[in-house]
């Protein structure tokens, strides 16, 4: 109550002050109006009296003059009247004022002196000794008098103005009463509003925060609901972030304490931050990739700008690392509104609601994009590295663009690195094979790593590329090259042997080219295993989520399979659909029960192969649906659009089985995301043996996606799997993903990179003696 009073006291004072001001203004206006009115009336009367008196001035003062004057004085509020000679002596005067105004007042003297009407308000008149004067306030209107066009004195009308004071006093009283009532009403209402609109929600927010602080939520209970409302939405957003951070920090601390206790060690964002701070001594981290972590798109319809997180394994993996380490991420600004949200240096801080690192955008023309991104990267290198039987296309003009864009990105990276001693660069993927050497040549003190997110084929396959030598040479500019699995490292070393002149050291997986040593290592990439289990964040159960999704999509099914992919010919989407068809034929009992929800983010659609593939996928889904569907049930629900991480998380939660059937994949993070999201230990993962993830997730049902029968059987096995078996497998896989999470990936890679720096110095010395001929 005291707090409420404290909050409304300034309001009371302000309302009272404003009301008082109004009252004062009203009184002043009232007084002015009444006085003007009186003056006007006096003027008319004065003229009348003047007309009657002036003809009588020719004669000596007589009773007529006195009679006229007295008759005039009978008007309302008129206290009296007088006629004065030029010396100021009263020639005729009404009795009521005779005692005080025998001699003319100032107004009359002025009227005679200036030959003009005069008005005067006189107050504080004291009664004379005889007590005749009981009037304390008068208005005197004086009019000059003429005789034969010469001034012959003045007449004066005396009005009693006490009625004005009485009226003004009434007005003042009414206004003050009004002001008082207003102050009471407004303050009362404000008090109520404050209590209802602010105090109650604030109290609930405080209660909510307290519940979080004392650990009510981590005890498994859902957090108490937060009050809604526009005013509070922003505050809630902030408080929610704060609470989430707090909860995460607590979960991390608890987890670390638990692991310390069991002797195990888990990498968390916080641990990575601390570890890098110690290892890198505040040296900033630079990341370069083609795909940016946040794209800004303009909505054609309403002109608004929407921010999206693109569907990309690189983004999924790198974002948590940047969040943990700050740093600068250099990437291609490819969103339609990207230009509009950067500063003069083409930079912006991201994520928008929790700015933690800098995104530096690099621009490309449409032609460059066609040559660098669509052409060389995705029609050349992508099919070259994936065994998916799509022929790579290498055009000389695309190669020119590829070199030019690598140079542009290298220059931007070098510009960003200016002033930083021994910077650390993590280059990403097949778009930037030439960049490591470009950076290293300009900044030998930089420690450069490149991570290849897709498979590396065998030397024979890679030899198809007309520029294999340049690509391998560019990569060997790095101090460290990372692949997902050992096989890709082996393939790379073989390719080096075939393509360039260098010393490959198989015993320690390093390449020495012209005295520069590049290490080649497997780093299986991963996801940030959520430190707070989704169920603790208030998620629905699998069943409830399934029902909600059915409702939203207007479908009917009691069992879901889920597939999440960019629509890419390497992902085995058609094989998956055909396996569903076969499964429903083999096990008709699952018809009208089981549906595959296939999230398909259209990808690289300006490339004919991708556009055609998207059409093929749609057609295949329609063909199979036409064969089986009844009522609101259909075997394949193809959701052809980009979905946010939050949306996808709901599908993972609702699914009985997740299908990852890539024909060839560097790692595939969907498999790991699904596992990480299933805190309920339920659900089965079907995983292609041709995805890098299969090396770690051996408790998935491993399949050859080309084998439709095997895949269809795996779906059946998954759907029939007892809950205990599901839980056992899921727990194992969760342990693997949790321990080998993205923070461990970054920590391993970056700590190897820092070690190499020391070795590189040693090698430089050795080079002087062993490889004098290659020192150029
Ligand atoms: C793969 C590549 C990434 C790429 C992603 C999405 O995961 O390794 O570098 O970002 O696909 O493809 P996009 O062409 O849309 O960037």
């Amino acid at each position: 109550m005291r707090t409420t009073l404290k909050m409304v006291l300034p309001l009371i004072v302000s309302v009272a002050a404003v009301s008082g001001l109004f009252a004062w203004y009203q009184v002043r206006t009232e007084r002015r109006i009444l006085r003007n009115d009186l003056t006007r009336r006096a003027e008319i009367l004065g003229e009348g009296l003047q007309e009657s008196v002036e003809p009588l001035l020719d004669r000596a003062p007589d009773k007529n003059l006195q009679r006229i004057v007295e008759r005039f004085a009978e008007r309302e509020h008129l206290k009296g009247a007088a006629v004065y000679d030029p010396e100021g002596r009263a020639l005729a005067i009404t009795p009521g004022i005779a005692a005080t105004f025998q001699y003319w007042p100032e107004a009359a003297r002025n009227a005679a002196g200036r030959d003009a009407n005069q008005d005067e308000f006189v107050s504080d008149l004291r009664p004379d000794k005889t007590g005749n004067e009981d009037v304390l306030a008068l208005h005197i209107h004086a009019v000059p008098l003429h005789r034969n066009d010469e001034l012959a004195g003045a007449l004066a009308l005396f009005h009693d103005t006490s009625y004005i004071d009485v009226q003004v006093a009434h007005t003042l009283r009414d206004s003050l009463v009004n002001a008082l009532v207003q102050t009471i009403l407004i303050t009362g209402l404000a008090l109520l509003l404050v209590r209802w609109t602010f105090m109650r929600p604030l109290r609930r927010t405080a209660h909510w925060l307290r519940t979080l602080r004392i650990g009510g939520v981590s005890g498994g209970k859902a957090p108490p609901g937060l009050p809604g409302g526009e005013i509070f939405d922003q505050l809630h957003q902030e408080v929610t972030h704060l609470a989430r951070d707090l909860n995460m920090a607590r979960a991390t601390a608890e987890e670390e304490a638990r692991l310390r206790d069991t002797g195990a060690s888990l990498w968390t964002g916080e641990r990575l931050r601390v570890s890098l701070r110690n290892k890198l001594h505040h040296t900033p981290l630079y990341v370069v990739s083609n795909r940016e972590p946040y794209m800004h798109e303009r909505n054609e319809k309403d002109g608004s700008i929407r921010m999206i997180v693109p569907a990309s394994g690189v983004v999924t993996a790198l974002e948590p690392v940047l969040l943990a380490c700050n740093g600068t991420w250099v990437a291609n600004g490819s969103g339609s509104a990207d230009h509009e949200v950067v500063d003069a240096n083409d930079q912006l801080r991201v994520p928008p609601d929790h700015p933690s690192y800098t995104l530096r955008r690099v621009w490309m023309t449409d032609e460059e994009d066609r040559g660098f991104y669509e052409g060389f990267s995705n029609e050349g290198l992508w099919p070259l590295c994936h065994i998916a039987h799509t022929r790579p296309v290498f055009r000389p003009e695309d190669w020119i663009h590829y070199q030019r864009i690598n140079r542009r990105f290298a220059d931007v990276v070098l510009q960003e690195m200016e002033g930083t001693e021994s910077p650390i660069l993590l280059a990403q993927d097949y778009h930037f094979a030439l960049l490591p050497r470009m950076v290293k040549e300009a900044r030998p003190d930089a420690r450069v790593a490149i991570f290849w997110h897709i498979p590396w084929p065998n030397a024979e396959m890679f030899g198809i590329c007309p520029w294999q030598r340049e690509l391998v040479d560019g990569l060997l500019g790095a101090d460290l090259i990372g692949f997902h699995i050992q096989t890709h490292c082996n393939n790379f070393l073989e390719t080096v042997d075939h393509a360039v002149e260098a010393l490959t050291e198989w015993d320690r997986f390093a390449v020495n080219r012209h005295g520069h040593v590049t290490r080649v290592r497997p780093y299986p990439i991963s996801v940030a295993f959520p430190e707070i289990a989704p169920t603790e964040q208030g998620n629905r159960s699998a069943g409830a989520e399934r029902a909600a999704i059915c409702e939203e999509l207007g479908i009917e099914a009691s069992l879901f399979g889920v597939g999440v992919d960019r629509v890419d010919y390497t992902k085995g989407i058609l094989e998956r659909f055909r396996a569903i068809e076969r499964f429903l034929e083999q096990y008709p009992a699952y018809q009208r029960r089981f549906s595959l929800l296939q999230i398909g983010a259209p990808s690289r659609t300006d490339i004919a192969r991708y556009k055609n593939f998207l059409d093929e996928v749609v057609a295949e889904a329609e063909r199979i649906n036409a064969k089986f569907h009844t009522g609101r049930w259909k075997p394949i629900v193809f959701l052809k659009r980009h979905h946010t991480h939050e949306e996808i998380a709901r599908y993972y939660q609702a699914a009985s089985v997740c299908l990852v059937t890539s024909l060839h994949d560097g790692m595939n993070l969907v498999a790991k995301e699904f596992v990480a999201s299933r805190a309920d230990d339920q659900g089965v993962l079907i995983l292609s043996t041709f995805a890098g993830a299969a090396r770690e997730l051996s408790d998935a049902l491993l399949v050859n996606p080309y084998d439709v029968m095997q895949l269809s059987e795996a779906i059946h096995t998954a759907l029939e799997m007892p809950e205990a078996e599901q839980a056992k497998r899921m727990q194992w896989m969760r342990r693997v993903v949790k321990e080998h999470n993205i923070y461990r990936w970054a920590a391993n890679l970056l700590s190897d990179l820092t070690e190499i720096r020391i070795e590189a110095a040693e090698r430089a010395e050795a080079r002087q003696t062993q490889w004098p001929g290659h020192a150029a």
Side-chain angles (χ1 to χ4, degrees):
M1 186 65 195
R2 201 182 297 157
T3 328
T4 319
L5 263 178
K6 255 193 211 162
M7 282 173 73
V8 293
L9 200 64
L11 185 72
I12 297 178
V13 173
S14 317
V15 173
V18 171
S19 303
L21 212 73
F22 266 118
W24 171 80
Y25 180 74
Q26 232 172 324
V27 164
R28 229 180 70 127
T29 312
E30 174 89 10
R31 186 187 294 278
R32 203 187 59 236
I33 290 171
L34 287 172
R35 281 184 167 199
N36 285 348
D37 191 47
L38 178 61
T39 310
R40 241 187 349 269
R41 261 193 297 132
E43 212 173 316
I44 295 166
L45 276 179
E47 273 171 25
L49 188 58
Q50 186 189 25
E51 272 172 27
S52 313
V53 166
E54 275 183 341
L56 300 179
L57 292 180
D58 291 338
R59 304 183 241 147
D62 59 8
K63 279 194 181 139
N64 271 347
L65 189 63
Q66 182 65 28
R67 225 180 7 252
I68 287 172
V69 168
E70 281 179 15
R71 219 177 45 232
F72 252 86
E74 282 161 13
R75 311 284 156 89
E76 195 192 359
H77 301 311
L78 191 59
K79 184 72 186 164
V83 176
Y84 297 100
D85 69 11
E87 273 73 47
R89 288 185 299 266
L91 297 175
I93 189 161
T94 48
I97 55 166
T100 318
F101 294 107
Q102 267 309 323
Y103 188 71
W104 59 8
E106 181 132 356
R109 193 173 63 237
N110 289 343
R114 295 174 192 159
D115 194 9
N117 292 359
Q118 297 292 315
D119 286 280
E120 186 186 5
F121 281 90
V122 193
S123 57
D124 212 19
L125 286 174
R126 295 275 164 252
D128 70 356
K129 286 179 198 116
T130 60
N132 264 345
E133 299 300 341
D134 56 353
V135 177
L136 294 180
L138 284 178
H139 168 254
I140 305 171
H141 179 69
V143 180
L145 292 173
H146 301 91
R147 188 173 52 210
N148 303 330
D149 289 339
E150 287 198 1
L151 277 169
L155 70 82
L157 296 175
F158 298 84
H159 274 96
D160 176 2
T161 59
S162 55
Y163 79 96
I164 293 184
D165 294 334
V166 172
Q167 208 152 320
V168 165
H170 281 151
T171 308
L172 180 66
R173 193 197 54 211
D174 291 352
S175 298
L176 285 177
V177 169
N178 264 350
L180 190 73
V181 172
Q182 270 174 24
T183 308
I184 293 172
L185 275 178
I186 293 178
T187 319
L189 273 174
L191 214 72
L192 278 177
L193 272 174
V194 165
R195 283 184 76 86
W196 283 90
T197 322
F198 291 99
M199 296 309 281
R200 277 167 58 117
L202 278 177
R203 223 170 275 142
R204 277 169 66 189
T205 307
H207 172 63
W208 184 77
L209 278 171
R210 188 178 141 74
T211 316
L212 285 178
R213 183 173 58 77
I214 58 176
V217 178
S218 64
K221 279 180 262 163
L226 264 177
E230 219 175 276
I231 314 168
F232 279 90
D233 281 352
Q234 228 174 333
L235 177 69
H236 289 164
Q237 255 183 20
E238 293 305 322
V239 170
T240 308
H241 280 311
L242 207 69
R244 202 179 50 205
D245 289 353
L246 192 78
N247 232 6
M248 290 254 201
R250 186 184 314 116
T252 311
E254 273 172 16
E255 185 63 15
E256 279 180 0
R258 193 186 63 73
L259 290 166
R260 259 198 309 279
D261 205 35
T262 58
S265 93
L266 181 73
W267 279 91
T268 60
E270 188 52 30
R271 183 170 166 199
L272 179 66
R273 197 185 352 255
V274 172
S275 157
L276 290 184
R277 206 182 301 143
N278 294 338
K279 278 211 172 77
L280 309 181
H281 307 294
H282 299 285
T283 309
L285 179 69
Y286 297 91
V287 167
V288 58
S289 74
N290 174 62
R291 186 57 69 195
E292 56 182 340
Y294 295 95
M295 281 167 83
H296 290 88
E297 293 285 359
R298 180 164 294 289
N299 185 328
E300 297 299 330
K301 282 186 204 135
D302 60 10
S304 62
I305 295 181
R306 184 170 73 111
M307 195 203 69
I308 56 170
V309 176
S312 157
V314 174
V315 169
T316 310
L318 266 294
E319 162 94 342
V321 178
L322 265 290
L323 288 178
C325 314
N326 197 340
T328 303
W329 187 331
V330 178
N332 171 220
S334 53
S336 54
D338 273 1
H339 275 281
E340 297 169 45
V341 293
V342 290
D343 64 14
N345 299 318
D346 294 329
Q347 294 180 331
L348 74 154
R349 294 285 291 170
V350 286
D353 56 353
H354 211 281
S356 309
Y357 65 93
T358 303
L359 171 59
R360 165 77 196 264
R361 284 177 171 152
V362 183
W363 315 108
M364 276 184 230
T365 63
D366 288 350
E367 195 196 345
E368 286 169 340
D369 185 68
R370 273 194 297 278
F372 160 77
Y373 171 73
E374 289 171 18
F376 198 81
S377 300
N378 287 319
E379 290 188 281
L381 290 179
W382 180 268
L384 177 77
C385 293
H386 289 90
I387 310 169
H389 311 287
T390 288
R391 215 170 137 160
V393 181
F394 290 108
R395 303 181 194 93
E397 55 276 24
D398 292 347
W399 169 240
I400 290 171
H401 282 300
Y402 188 80
Q403 294 172 85
R404 189 180 296 159
I405 296 301
N406 268 253
R407 169 49 62 199
R408 181 172 309 157
F409 273 75
D411 289 344
V412 170
V413 168
L414 290 167
Q415 185 197 347
E416 290 290 331
M417 284 176 171
E418 262 167 40
T420 306
E421 218 177 291
S422 306
I424 304 265
L425 173 65
L426 260 184
Q428 308 298 319
D429 233 352
Y430 57 101
H431 311 89
F432 294 114
L434 305 179
L435 182 136
R437 183 163 301 286
M438 291 172 174
V439 171
K440 197 72 184 177
E441 269 171 3
R443 288 294 302 265
D445 65 319
R447 284 161 290 172
V448 178
I450 182 159
F451 190 81
W452 197 261
H453 288 259
I454 60 176
W456 189 280
N458 65 38
E460 209 176 347
M461 293 276 270
F462 201 81
I464 292 174
C465 176
W467 296 283
Q468 65 156 335
R469 183 186 304 272
E470 287 83 346
L471 293 172
V472 169
D473 180 63
L475 286 168
L476 290 176
D479 301 297
L480 177 64
I481 303 176
F483 293 99
H484 291 298
I485 56 174
Q486 188 61 48
T487 314
H488 300 156
C489 298
N490 298 354
N491 287 347
F492 178 73
L493 283 200
E494 270 173 16
T495 310
V496 170
D497 270 344
H498 277 69
V500 295
E501 203 175 309
L503 181 70
T504 29
E505 300 177 27
W506 283 90
D507 53 335
R508 58 183 204 122
F509 271 84
V511 179
N512 188 326
R513 178 157 161 82
H514 302 319
H516 174 69
V517 176
T518 305
R519 282 202 184 198
V520 181
R521 293 272 182 280
Y523 302 96
I525 209 160
S526 193
V527 292
F529 195 91
E531 283 156 27
I532 302 173
T535 43
E536 291 180 5
Q537 291 172 349
N539 278 19
R540 285 186 269 221
S541 72
E545 203 63 270
R546 199 165 46 240
I549 290 173
C550 277
E551 179 76 27
E552 279 161 35
L553 300 177
I555 55 165
E556 222 170 67
S558 52
L559 289 168
F560 280 168
V562 67
V564 181
D565 304 86
R566 282 181 308 103
V567 183
D568 192 301
Y569 54 83
T570 60
K571 300 293 179 185
I573 300 173
L574 293 176
E575 286 72 8
R576 193 179 307 169
F577 286 2
R578 284 168 201 151
I580 298 284
E581 178 184 19
R582 180 161 180 100
F583 162 71
L584 292 173
E585 277 165 357
Q586 292 287 106
Y587 302 100
Y590 279 97
Q591 292 182 21
R592 289 177 297 283
R593 286 178 63 205
F594 175 79
S595 289
L596 170 70
L597 301 181
Q598 176 62 50
I599 293 179
S603 175
R604 306 173 189 169
T605 43
D606 290 330
I607 300 172
R609 175 73 177 96
Y610 280 87
K611 198 187 160 304
N612 296 340
F613 182 70
L614 180 59
D615 294 344
E616 256 182 84
V617 169
V618 172
E620 194 63 352
E622 278 170 6
R623 181 187 68 76
I624 296 167
N625 283 342
K627 193 163 164 185
F628 294 99
H629 97 274
T630 51
R632 300 209 306 164
W633 174 80
K634 56 182 171 180
I636 298 167
V637 182
F638 184 47
L639 304 164
K640 192 182 81 174
R641 68 167 175 88
H642 176 270
H643 285 66
T644 64
H645 282 303
E646 289 72 27
E647 287 174 309
I648 294 171
R650 294 183 57 212
Y651 289 89
Y652 286 151
Q653 193 61 32
S656 304
V657 52
C658 175
L659 289 103
V660 176
T661 56
S662 314
L663 305 181
H664 200 191
D665 219 332
M667 172 54 70
N668 193 294
L669 290 182
V670 169
K672 292 189 175 180
E673 272 179 357
F674 174 66
V675 167
S677 74
R678 294 308 296 254
D680 59 352
D681 292 337
Q682 289 299 291
V684 180
L685 174 65
I686 293 180
L687 179 58
S688 161
T689 50
F690 307 130
R695 315 280 160 130
E696 295 169 89
L697 302 177
S698 50
D699 279 287
L701 297 182
L702 297 178
V703 292
N704 169 0
Y706 290 93
D707 186 341
V708 180
M709 267 161 41
Q710 190 195 30
L711 190 43
S712 140
E713 280 310 311
I715 296 170
H716 184 245
T717 309
L719 294 177
E720 295 281 315
M721 192 181 283
E723 283 188 4
E725 170 78 5
Q726 289 184 39
K728 202 174 76 194
R729 286 171 178 262
M730 190 52 90
Q731 279 160 7
W732 273 111
M733 291 194 287
R734 284 175 63 77
R735 198 164 305 154
V736 169
V737 178
K738 187 173 185 176
E739 281 181 18
H740 297 269
N741 60 18
I742 187 65
Y743 304 113
R744 181 185 285 264
W745 174 86
N748 287 347
L749 203 155
L750 290 167
S751 96
D752 283 355
L753 187 59
T754 49
E755 272 173 32
I756 282 175
R757 186 175 59 94
I758 303 157
E759 273 201 24
E762 288 164 4
R763 300 289 299 186
E765 269 181 39
R767 195 183 62 197
Q768 303 283 315
T769 49
Q770 287 176 21
W771 293 85
H774 291 272

